[in-house]
Amino acid sequence: MLRLTTRIAGAQVQKEIFAGLAFGMMDQCFGFTGVDVRLDDDLSAVLAGDLSPGAARLETPFTVAGGTAGTITVERSAGAAFDDVDRELLSAAASHVALAVARSGFLESERRRAQEQQALLDTLADLSGHLELSQLLQAVLQRAITLLGVTGGELAILDEHTNEMVMVASLNLGTDSTGLRMRLGEGAMGLVGQTHEPLIIPDYQAWAGKSGKYEHGVVQAVMVAPLLIGKRLVGAIASVHSDPTRKFGSEDLRLLEMFAPQAAIAIENARLYAQISQMSVLEERHRIGMDLHDGAIQSLYGLGLL
C-alpha cells in the first residue's frame, strides 16, 4: 500500500495518477487480475491485467470537490470473492486518487496562469515598442489572436467626433472590414461600445444583432471586449473562431479582459505620440516660416525699400 500511495503522490498529471493507481494495484499481494480507472462521461480508461467476461468486480467512486469525478473498478477471476479488506483498500486508494487529482488540477491551473501572465508581459513588452499607430493596431490584434488561440479578430477605435466605432484592423474574417464604421449599438462592436460590457456570441451567423454591412461567412463563435481607460471608451476588440464546435467560456473571457486594458493603454499612448509629433511638425513649420519672414524684412531694409 505504501508503494501504491507513493506512486500516486509522485504523479503530476491525471494520466500519471491513474496509471500509477492501475499498475500499483496490480501488485500480486492484492490479488487483483484487472484494474479499470474511468472518469465520469469519459469513454477512455486505464486498464491493467487481463479481463475476462466472468470476472468478479468491485468498484468505488472517487470524488473531487464534493462531486463524483470517476470510478475505480478491480477484478478477480471468476468465482473469487471480495471481502471487507478489499473494500477498505479500494476506499483508501480512492481517497488518495481524489487528493492527487485535486492537487494536479490546482498545479495545472497555476501553470496555466503563470503562462498567461508571461504571455501578457511579453505582449506588453512587444506593444510598448510600437509608437507608430498603424503598426501598433496590427500588433495588438495579432497578439490577441495568438494569446487566445483563435482563428481571427477585429479591432475598432472610437471616433469621438462622430461617436462611431471605426474598424482599424481585421484578420482572417473572410473579408477585410478595415474602414467600416458602426454606430454605437450597431453590431457586436457597436453594442459593446455602447454598453462598455463584454459580449460572447456562441453562433454569430444566427445572432439577430449582427450588422448587415458585411457578412462574416467564416465566423462562428465571437467574443468582444471594450477597450477602456477608466470609464472612457477607447475602442473594442473581437476574437473569433471559425470552428462551430469551439465555444468561448469564462476562462476565455477572463484572458481577453486581462489583455484589453494593456491594449487600450498602448493605443492611447500611440495616439498621443502621433498628436505630439504632428504638433512638433507644425511648430517647426511655423518657426521656419517666421524665420523666412524675418529674413525677407531684413533684406528689404538692406535694400532701402523699407
Side-chain angles (χ1 to χ4, degrees):
M1 189 64 185
L2 179 59
R3 288 195 300 271
L4 172 64
T5 56
T6 300
R7 185 189 293 263
I8 294 173
Q12 296 296 311
V13 297
Q14 285 191 9
K15 184 177 180 180
E16 294 176 356
I17 293 169
F18 299 148
L21 169 70
F23 291 102
M25 294 196 73
M26 287 300 295
D27 191 293
Q28 61 181 3
C29 69
F30 297 137
F32 301 131
T33 58
V35 180
D36 178 301
V37 185
R38 191 179 299 269
L39 293 176
D40 285 356
D41 302 322
D42 190 348
L43 298 179
S44 64
V46 178
L47 300 172
D50 296 326
L51 306 179
S52 60
R57 298 186 177 184
L58 176 66
E59 66 178 42
T60 189
F62 60 87
T63 59
V64 178
T68 301
T71 304
I72 303 170
T73 304
V74 294
E75 298 187 348
R76 280 194 176 130
S77 302
F82 294 103
D83 55 25
D84 289 340
V85 173
D86 295 319
R87 294 182 179 87
E88 290 178 6
L89 170 64
L90 200 58
S91 178
S95 297
H96 285 293
V97 167
L99 290 173
V101 169
R103 186 190 70 246
S104 70
F106 173 77
L107 291 175
E108 178 59 30
S109 176
E110 289 302 302
R111 280 194 294 267
R112 186 172 63 252
R113 288 180 182 272
Q115 291 170 352
E116 290 172 357
Q117 290 292 338
Q118 187 58 53
L120 286 170
L121 289 174
D122 292 343
T123 295
L124 183 58
D126 179 57
L127 296 183
S128 65
H130 293 277
L131 287 176
E132 202 283 314
L133 186 58
S134 62
Q135 293 180 3
L136 173 71
L137 297 174
Q138 291 294 334
V140 165
L141 186 57
Q142 185 60 65
R143 273 291 187 173
I145 290 172
T146 301
L147 186 66
L148 293 162
V150 295
T151 58
E154 190 175 44
L155 182 66
I157 59 176
L158 177 67
D159 184 338
E160 295 180 350
H161 299 292
T162 63
N163 217 26
E164 293 176 317
M165 301 293 282
V166 184
M167 307 306 135
V168 292
S170 70
L171 187 63
N172 298 335
L173 298 182
T175 183
D176 185 5
S177 61
T178 304
L180 286 178
R181 289 175 172 265
M182 298 286 177
R183 300 183 309 276
L184 292 182
E186 179 185 3
M189 289 294 211
L191 182 58
V192 168
Q194 182 181 59
T195 63
H196 293 195
E197 295 292 336
L199 175 67
I200 293 179
I201 305 171
D203 184 358
Y204 181 80
Q205 300 303 322
W207 186 48
K210 71 177 182 178
S211 173
K213 289 184 177 179
Y214 52 84
E215 292 294 332
H216 290 308
V218 301
V219 173
Q220 300 298 324
V222 174
M223 180 170 57
V224 188
L227 301 179
L228 300 168
I229 296 180
K231 295 183 178 180
R232 183 169 64 85
L233 180 69
V234 174
I237 188 167
S239 61
V240 307
H241 212 287
S242 58
D243 183 355
T245 64
R246 170 67 187 274
K247 303 300 180 185
F248 292 123
S250 58
E251 284 299 302
D252 298 301
L253 184 58
R254 180 185 62 81
L255 190 54
L256 182 60
E257 289 188 300
M258 288 173 64
F259 173 81
Q262 308 295 341
I265 293 171
I267 291 172
E268 188 68 4
N269 287 342
R271 292 171 75 175
L272 290 173
Y273 177 80
Q275 292 174 5
I276 292 172
S277 297
Q278 185 177 14
M279 289 175 61
S280 298
V281 169
L282 292 175
E283 289 174 356
E284 182 64 16
R285 287 177 178 175
H286 178 71
R287 185 190 64 77
I288 292 173
M290 291 301 295
D291 288 346
L292 291 174
H293 178 267
D294 292 343
I297 293 176
Q298 292 296 327
S299 297
L300 291 175
Y301 270 115
L303 294 172
L305 298 176
L306 288 178

